[in-house]
Amino acid sequence: MSWFNILLTFLLFLHVTLGNEPKSVDEELQKFLHRVNDRLADLYNKEVLAAWQNEIKGPNDLVALLQSDIATQEIISYLKKISTKAAKFKRLNITDEKLKTQLAKIPVVGYEVLDNDDLDTMYAVTTNMSDIYRNVKLCSFTDPNNCNLTLVPDVQHILHSSKNIAEIEFYWLEWRKKTGTAAKDDFIQFVELYRKTAKLNGFAKPSDYWFRDLEENSVEAFDLLDNIMTQLRPLFEQFHAYIRSELRQIYGSELIEHNKPYPQNLAEIFIGNSYRRTEPEWYVNLPYNDVGLPNITEGLFKRALNNSQRMFWNVAEYYRSIGLPQLEEKFWTDNTMPRADTDDVTCWHKAWKYYGNQHVNLSYCPITNEERFMNMFEAISDVYYYQAYQDQPTLFEDEPFPNFSDALGKVFSMAASSPKYLEKLKIIENKFTTKDARINRLYVMGLRTIFLLPVFYVLDRYRVDVIDEKIDVSNNCAYWELTEKYTGAEPPIVRTNNDFDAPAKLLMEVDDQYTSHLMSTVLQFQLYKRFCELTGQYKQDDPNLPLDLCDLSNQTIIGPLLLDAISLGSSKSYKDIIYMLTNDNELKLDGLLEYFQPLYDWLVEQNKLRNEEIGWTNSDRCVS
């Protein structure tokens, strides 16, 4: 063979070899993620459609429930199928940051990583604990033979109007006996299996797995939370002292001692009454009872906003007025359906997103009142949010942390509750913008907001410390130490480590995370402050432009700013998105503190006039 032929053969071989060279890692990952996004969109949409059908047909629609279970199992099976390949990609050198972020957004398998026996046990114990909270029946204080009372609404209605200390204490103990004590063995098994789940999913500590959706490890998460609790403390202590004084006037100084935590059962009833509607049987002693609170439900009917459709278009017009695109005329007829369940406790408006297309549904509650009016602002906020990010890949069609969208919705429901806006709509009279009326409103809002944040903190701190083995599950007093330190409450009677009180406060889902609820609340006020400053509706230390009277309607600068941020979905970190909205990439409590500043000043003044002590000494109501 000639040298020419040898060279030609070598060049041909080289061409074929280079032509068949394996694709780069980024190219292979891009193909993989494209398939994952398409498949997950199909599977997620099956799940959403089943849930939507259940919403509009009723919570016991067997076909919808079966379809939902099948869709969920399909998602789990698919995630397990791709988990090995996803893990391999994570070990490779990926240069494209967007692809790397998408890869990180593939959900972990979760409990399904457990072997079959452990998985069956995990499902059994979590289902059992959930059923205990959902279905528990309590015995009657007045009729011991009647043990068929539900916590909500049966016992709730009794406690809201009862002044009988023995009766109140009875139900407090009955609830803990029927829930906490009954769930203890299941909770212990849950903790053990949760630790195993975290390890098998590749997390160094169970607490890091707990905070996996927050882009923070457990140390960073609690640094943030501890900082928030420290900033909240002065306002909380003043509010706590005032409420303790109010409780003392109701129940006497023997039960409500000076310089001590207040009994949790009595405080919960007092605070819980703030959630009741404005009506003749108002149970909260307002700072200015002669001024009262506006009856917004009555005002809605006077303005003919007396059905869900009229509410919807009024709220849609509000969002158009802040610079967002107008919802199509056919949205109401094509995309909305009434909920089948119209129970006053569970009936709310809700937006439903679908993946990979521009479709969003809305299930609306036919009930018309103040709560549903404000809830409509939150639901329509979600409609805009879901529409804004639906050009993103499926893995980015989400909020940057759980309850981020809830914070946005509540920004606008809070703005809609501004007396200035309601006065503009002629729903309330202008007398409710006076200083006394503002204090009344902030007082009730504070009862509903400020007292929740420490409770959220305690519930997650306790569970995280348990799963990280910093607290023993049987150490009931450790739970009460946290409760006393952060909420200023103690048990009404002596408790010991033979009792098990924490799960009685964990509501229905033992692994539901409360940190994201706390972060969402902080973000809500942070965004509100920013939007009000940006539009000139709030100026710090200007008595004519206080934050609690800020009205954002017709402020068209907000819409474009909002759209730019929410269109990113979860493609950027929550800190990046917060920075776009606020020029600050950290969650800060400044917005909440400035919003409630008039209330704080009033509380300081009142506590001095009453000679009330601030803070509390250690409780002796739990004995190890």
Side-chain angles (χ1 to χ4, degrees):
M1 181 181 292
S2 68
W3 283 109
F4 175 77
N5 288 334
I6 292 173
L7 180 60
L8 182 60
T9 301
F10 173 75
L11 291 174
L12 287 172
F13 172 78
L14 187 63
H15 173 74
V16 171
T17 301
L18 291 175
N20 292 331
E21 185 181 39
K23 301 291 184 183
S24 71
V25 173
D26 284 7
E27 289 174 343
E28 290 296 328
L29 177 58
Q30 188 172 31
K31 287 185 176 181
F32 170 71
L33 290 172
H34 181 75
R35 293 193 297 270
V36 169
N37 280 309
D38 286 350
R39 182 60 177 150
L40 284 179
D42 290 339
L43 294 174
Y44 287 164
N45 284 340
K46 285 184 182 180
E47 191 175 45
V48 173
L49 184 59
W52 162 257
Q53 291 295 320
N54 199 42
E55 183 93 349
I56 61 178
K57 290 182 178 180
N60 296 315
D61 184 79
L62 295 179
V63 173
L65 288 172
L66 179 61
Q67 289 174 335
S68 180
D69 286 343
I70 292 172
T72 301
Q73 287 305 314
E74 283 186 312
I75 292 170
I76 292 170
S77 296
Y78 181 67
L79 291 176
K80 289 176 74 172
K81 179 181 176 182
I82 65 173
S83 62
T84 302
K85 191 165 187 178
K88 287 181 179 178
F89 275 117
K90 289 178 181 179
R91 292 193 294 268
L92 299 176
N93 182 30
I94 302 163
T95 58
D96 188 314
E97 288 300 319
K98 188 172 182 179
L99 294 178
K100 188 186 295 186
T101 305
Q102 273 196 71
L103 180 62
K105 293 290 182 181
I106 296 177
V108 297
V109 177
Y111 298 147
E112 297 290 328
V113 75
L114 298 168
D115 64 41
N116 290 336
D117 288 343
D118 282 345
L119 183 60
D120 288 343
T121 302
M122 177 61 99
Y123 281 150
V125 297
T126 53
T127 299
N128 190 43
M129 284 188 285
S130 180
D131 287 345
I132 286 172
Y133 299 128
R134 292 177 190 274
N135 303 320
V136 65
K137 297 297 173 64
L138 307 180
C139 294
S140 169
F141 174 73
T142 56
D143 180 9
N145 294 320
N146 177 11
C147 291
N148 203 37
L149 300 181
T150 60
L151 180 67
V152 180
D154 298 342
V155 173
Q156 184 185 55
H157 286 164
I158 294 169
L159 293 178
H160 276 316
S161 55
S162 177
K163 296 293 188 291
N164 186 328
I165 301 299
E167 181 176 47
I168 294 169
E169 187 176 294
F170 170 84
Y171 285 118
W172 188 91
L173 289 169
E174 177 77 353
W175 171 247
R176 277 148 186 80
K177 181 176 69 176
K178 293 287 182 67
T179 57
T181 304
K184 184 172 183 178
D185 290 341
D186 287 329
F187 187 76
I188 290 171
Q189 284 189 289
F190 164 78
V191 168
E192 292 171 351
L193 292 172
Y194 195 90
R195 292 170 183 157
K196 187 180 290 188
T197 300
K199 185 175 182 180
L200 291 173
N201 274 295
F203 289 83
K205 294 193 299 183
S207 53
D208 290 340
Y209 179 62
W210 184 267
F211 291 116
R212 64 192 180 278
D213 293 327
L214 299 183
E215 304 172 12
E216 313 273 9
N217 61 39
S218 57
V219 173
E220 294 167 336
F222 273 113
D223 281 347
L224 171 65
L225 295 180
D226 289 339
N227 185 46
I228 290 171
M229 288 297 101
T230 299
Q231 292 179 69
L232 182 67
R233 192 75 177 188
L235 170 58
F236 181 79
E237 285 188 343
Q238 291 291 335
F239 213 163
H240 178 278
Y242 185 84
I243 299 306
R244 182 173 51 196
S245 173
E246 292 290 289
L247 290 171
R248 191 176 295 126
Q249 292 181 40
I250 299 170
Y251 299 109
S253 58
E254 188 175 335
L255 277 175
I256 312 298
E257 300 179 66
H258 290 271
N259 294 305
K260 297 287 284 184
Y262 43 46
Q264 187 187 71
N265 57 335
L266 301 180
E268 284 181 341
I269 293 172
F270 187 94
I271 295 167
N273 274 328
S274 71
Y275 288 88
R276 304 181 76 175
R277 291 185 194 133
T278 304
E279 52 192 14
E281 306 85 41
W282 184 247
Y283 288 90
V284 174
N285 186 29
L286 295 169
Y288 300 98
N289 280 316
D290 55 328
V291 176
L293 292 168
N295 191 325
I296 294 173
T297 299
E298 185 179 275
L300 289 169
F301 278 83
K302 286 181 179 178
R303 280 277 286 110
L305 293 171
N306 53 2
N307 63 55
S308 298
Q309 185 173 0
R310 289 185 176 183
M311 277 188 183
F312 171 83
W313 285 117
N314 185 281
V315 174
E317 172 57 24
Y318 178 94
Y319 279 104
R320 186 206 61 76
S321 82
I322 64 170
L324 290 171
Q326 187 165 12
L327 292 175
E328 295 180 358
E329 288 288 333
K330 63 179 183 178
F331 186 92
W332 180 261
T333 54
D334 292 359
N335 298 62
T336 66
M337 290 285 286
R339 283 180 52 99
D341 178 12
T342 56
D343 181 88
D344 192 49
V345 175
T346 58
C347 188
W348 301 100
H349 313 302
K350 178 177 171 62
W352 299 80
K353 65 176 178 182
Y354 292 86
Y355 294 81
N357 57 59
Q358 292 292 325
H359 191 77
V360 178
N361 280 345
L362 178 75
S363 58
Y364 64 88
C365 176
I367 298 173
T368 304
N369 56 31
E370 173 187 347
E371 291 93 336
R372 272 65 186 189
F373 180 60
M374 298 307 170
N375 176 231
M376 186 67 84
F377 282 87
E378 296 168 26
I380 301 304
S381 172
D382 283 344
V383 169
Y384 278 105
Y385 200 165
Y386 299 158
Q387 289 180 340
Y389 66 47
Q390 283 196 345
D391 286 335
Q392 295 287 346
T394 302
L395 291 168
F396 287 158
E397 285 189 72
D398 204 351
E399 53 195 341
F401 70 76
N403 295 303
F404 186 96
S405 62
D406 189 54
L408 286 177
K410 282 186 165 55
V411 166
F412 296 107
S413 65
M414 185 162 67
S417 72
S418 165
K420 279 193 175 180
Y421 175 67
L422 294 174
E423 182 185 327
K424 183 190 295 183
L425 284 186
K426 302 188 185 309
I427 289 174
I428 66 171
E429 304 169 41
N430 60 8
K431 69 176 185 178
F432 290 108
T433 57
T434 64
K435 181 180 178 181
D436 292 355
R438 289 170 55 206
I439 293 298
N440 279 353
R441 175 172 173 268
L442 290 172
Y443 180 76
V444 173
M445 282 187 68
L447 287 172
R448 296 175 178 178
T449 305
I450 294 165
F451 285 88
L452 269 183
L453 298 183
V455 173
F456 289 158
Y457 176 89
V458 168
L459 291 176
D460 266 12
R461 175 98 254 181
Y462 168 79
R463 287 180 295 178
V464 166
D465 283 352
V466 166
I467 61 177
D468 272 355
E469 301 185 76
K470 294 179 181 178
I471 293 177
D472 187 88
V473 176
S474 296
N475 190 348
N476 193 46
C477 289
Y479 163 72
W480 281 112
E481 287 170 10
L482 284 170
T483 298
E484 176 218 302
K485 179 177 180 180
Y486 291 99
T487 75
E490 65 180 4
I493 64 170
V494 173
R495 307 299 277 165
T496 72
N497 284 339
N498 292 325
D499 301 306
F500 195 53
D501 295 318
K505 292 290 291 180
L506 296 182
L507 305 181
M508 290 177 288
E509 305 299 339
V510 74
D511 57 352
D512 186 22
Q513 185 193 83
Y514 289 93
T515 294
S516 61
H517 291 288
L518 194 158
M519 291 170 62
S520 178
T521 302
V522 172
L523 178 59
Q524 167 194 342
F525 286 91
Q526 187 174 359
L527 291 173
Y528 190 64
K529 176 193 171 188
R530 171 61 175 165
F531 292 161
C532 292
E533 286 178 328
L534 197 62
T535 57
Q537 299 300 301
Y538 166 61
K539 291 183 180 178
Q540 192 172 13
D541 300 325
D542 185 339
N544 297 314
L545 292 170
L547 189 54
D548 63 288
L549 290 184
C550 168
D551 174 18
L552 293 178
S553 63
N554 300 310
Q555 303 299 321
T556 56
I557 192 175
I558 298 172
L561 172 67
L562 193 62
L563 276 179
D564 284 346
I566 64 178
S567 65
L568 295 171
S570 61
S571 64
K572 298 286 186 181
S573 76
Y574 81 82
K575 292 182 179 180
D576 289 339
I577 293 175
I578 289 175
Y579 183 81
M580 291 178 66
L581 292 167
T582 67
N583 278 344
D584 197 324
N585 61 7
E586 298 291 339
L587 281 172
K588 292 187 176 176
L589 201 63
D590 297 5
L592 183 145
L593 295 178
E594 290 178 36
Y595 190 90
F596 286 105
Q597 184 66 44
L599 177 65
Y600 174 77
D601 294 338
W602 182 86
L603 289 168
V604 170
E605 178 185 359
Q606 294 300 309
N607 286 329
K608 285 181 180 177
L609 289 172
R610 296 182 177 192
N611 198 28
E612 291 297 331
E613 67 283 359
I614 308 301
W616 52 89
T617 58
N618 293 338
S619 171
D620 56 3
R621 291 284 180 86
C622 195
V623 181
S624 300

